[in-house]
Amino acid sequence: MRKLMIGLATLIATAAIGLPAWSAETATIWVRADASNFMPKVVEAFNKSHDNQIKLDIIPNAEIITKYGAAAAGGTAPDALSLDLIYTPAFAASGQLEDITDWAKSLPYFAALSPAHVKTGTYHGRIYGLPFSADSSVLIWNKKLFKKAGLDPEKGPANWAEIEADAERINALGGNIKGYYFSGNCPGCNIFTLTPLVWASGGDILSDDGTKATLEGPQLRAAIDFYRSMIKKDLVPAGAQSDTGANFFAAFAAGNIGISPSGAFAIGALNTQYPDIDYGITFLPGKDGGWSSFAGGDNFVVTKGTPKVAVVKQFLEFAYSLEGQTLLAKYGSLPVRSDIAKQALKDLDPRYQIAAEAMAKGRTPYSTVFNDIINSANGPWNQLIGEALYGDDVEAAITTAQKTMQSIIDTAPQ
């Protein structure tokens, strides 16, 4: 009998070795297509090193918000989602996200996480989203054109007067060369690159809590006048007025633009796709100096009621590790932990360090109706840009946009 029991125990133990870990679970995560370079790499590394697994679905940029909203309403949402951080307040207000406040604040590096991301992930004092990926807005200049124009190719402009003066020198080279470029009919592009000029000058377009439009401030008017001056002097190509964003990066990459506001993403794109372009990176300046940046990228949110919260948290903690942050940096995202950003970027182009500094101190407008007031092609922000920069009545354009934006905000959940 004793031998029989020993043999049976050995058989059970041997069989158990071949069984899967019963506690292992798989969580589903959605991400927008913009993250298709780095997110699969992070998921692959996590899955190789953990019993719990992540199933990743990449959703087209234009579909992810409506698709997630419908899935959440229908009970078929993924366990978690990496979404453009600007939409976090709206989903938090709708009650579709898990409150992760206590866990978030327990992270030993919580204070080092991108403050702009954390702010947009906070609703009524509770945290519903944390930073995942990041981008920042910066100013880039073409060193070859600077040198041809007799400018110091190693020194980027540090205020608006220098931008305009340098652009004039570049423009004087003639031909198809122009001093400055921006996408005039792209609301997302201009919130990313024009508002930092306003912030760095001491102004804003929204109150800190997103309940008041502040378009009538003198700093925005000054930024509009600055752009109008460059447009009037023909420093900006005529095609910029109708550009919906298709040439946001491509115009500078063509090699005939002297200065352009852009994003950290341009560093990798220029290095790999346009290696012959010698360029510099600096901060987006205020009228008289200083600088600011739009902190873009994605927040990571958890669907309310998911039973896979533990798996999702484990994945995000891996993404926040030095290994995870280094993978993100290597494949196209700035680190979101400022305390290890330099380590994560140490083997990459040193210009990323400037972009990372810009992101760490960057800002993001907070609104539960961001899409309606800012991103929409028919919204008040885009109408303001078109009418104020290219129209005849700047004051009327500002007044109309202010009233329209405030009206939309007043009817939204706060």
Side-chain angles (χ1 to χ4, degrees):
M1 183 67 177
R2 176 179 169 80
K3 289 182 178 180
L4 178 62
M5 292 298 292
I6 292 173
L8 185 60
T10 302
L11 180 63
I12 293 172
T14 303
I17 293 173
L19 292 175
W22 293 108
S23 59
E25 296 181 288
T26 297
T28 300
I29 294 175
W30 287 2
V31 67
R32 56 176 171 153
D34 277 352
S36 59
N37 284 337
F38 51 80
M39 188 62 144
K41 299 294 184 180
V42 179
V43 169
E44 180 183 9
F46 175 86
N47 286 345
K48 283 183 178 179
S49 57
H50 293 75
D51 291 331
N52 289 323
Q53 298 288 285
I54 297 297
K55 179 182 179 296
L56 179 66
D57 288 326
I58 298 174
I59 312 297
N61 290 352
E63 298 177 15
I64 191 167
I65 298 302
T66 54
K67 186 172 182 177
Y68 180 73
T76 59
D79 300 297
L81 172 75
S82 178
L83 82 164
D84 192 330
L85 78 168
I86 60 173
Y87 294 111
T88 321
F91 279 114
S94 71
Q96 294 172 322
L97 305 181
E98 193 76 27
D99 184 334
I100 55 175
T101 307
D102 295 339
W103 171 69
K105 291 185 176 180
S106 73
L107 297 171
Y109 42 79
F110 176 71
L113 295 177
S114 166
H117 285 69
V118 174
K119 180 184 175 183
T120 59
T122 303
Y123 180 70
H124 288 183
R126 305 298 291 177
I127 299 173
Y128 295 88
L130 286 176
F132 187 80
S133 61
D135 195 8
S136 62
S137 50
V138 293
L139 194 68
I140 57 179
W141 76 92
N142 185 311
K143 291 185 177 183
K144 181 179 179 180
L145 294 181
F146 263 53
K147 189 173 182 179
K148 282 186 175 181
L151 299 167
D152 183 350
E154 302 304 321
K155 182 179 179 294
N159 56 53
W160 298 357
E162 290 184 8
I163 290 176
E164 190 163 356
D166 291 351
E168 288 187 66
R169 295 278 293 273
I170 298 295
N171 233 54
L173 294 174
N176 65 344
I177 295 173
K178 290 293 182 181
Y180 194 83
Y181 192 88
F182 71 100
S183 297
N185 193 27
C186 176
C189 305
N190 285 302
I191 197 69
F192 189 61
T193 58
L194 181 61
T195 46
L197 304 182
V198 178
W199 292 333
S201 303
D204 211 333
I205 66 163
L206 282 174
S207 62
D208 197 51
D209 62 0
T211 62
K212 298 294 180 184
T214 59
L215 299 178
E216 294 176 315
Q219 294 87 356
L220 176 59
R221 176 55 197 263
I224 289 170
D225 288 342
F226 166 50
Y227 265 43
R228 283 178 67 90
S229 175
M230 290 196 291
I231 292 167
K232 186 177 181 180
K233 292 178 180 179
D234 198 32
L235 306 182
V236 180
Q241 181 176 359
S242 60
D243 180 14
T244 57
N247 288 318
F248 179 59
F249 166 74
F252 183 85
N256 61 337
I257 299 295
I259 305 167
S260 181
S262 191
F265 69 87
I267 301 173
L270 287 169
N271 289 353
T272 56
Q273 300 173 41
Y274 304 92
D276 293 335
I277 294 183
D278 190 11
Y279 66 98
I281 295 281
T282 190
F283 304 111
L284 285 165
K287 181 178 181 180
D288 300 313
W291 61 270
S292 189
S293 177
F294 188 106
D298 279 18
N299 265 342
F300 195 87
V301 300
V302 183
T303 299
K304 189 174 182 62
T306 175
K308 306 291 180 65
V309 173
V311 182
V312 170
K313 289 177 178 178
Q314 186 183 42
F315 171 73
L316 191 54
E317 288 177 349
F318 173 77
Y320 285 154
S321 69
L322 181 57
E323 180 182 356
Q325 292 290 284
T326 301
L327 278 171
L328 282 161
K330 181 178 179 180
Y331 291 101
S333 168
L334 293 174
V336 294
R337 276 185 60 181
S338 60
D339 58 330
I340 58 174
K342 287 185 177 180
Q343 290 174 271
L345 292 166
K346 67 180 178 66
D347 295 327
L348 301 180
D349 188 315
R351 286 171 286 205
Y352 277 115
Q353 299 287 352
I354 297 172
E357 183 181 351
M359 198 285 302
K361 297 179 181 179
R363 300 170 60 176
T364 311
Y366 185 98
S367 176
T368 58
V369 284
F370 192 101
N371 189 66
D372 294 333
I373 63 173
I374 302 294
N375 268 7
S376 172
N378 299 314
W381 172 248
N382 201 40
Q383 290 180 344
L384 169 65
I385 296 300
E387 294 171 8
L389 297 187
Y390 289 96
D392 297 324
D393 195 337
V394 177
E395 290 300 330
I398 294 174
T399 299
T400 300
Q402 169 71 24
K403 290 179 179 178
T404 305
M405 188 175 288
Q406 190 62 54
S407 176
I408 295 171
I409 292 170
D410 288 342
T411 60
Q414 301 298 336

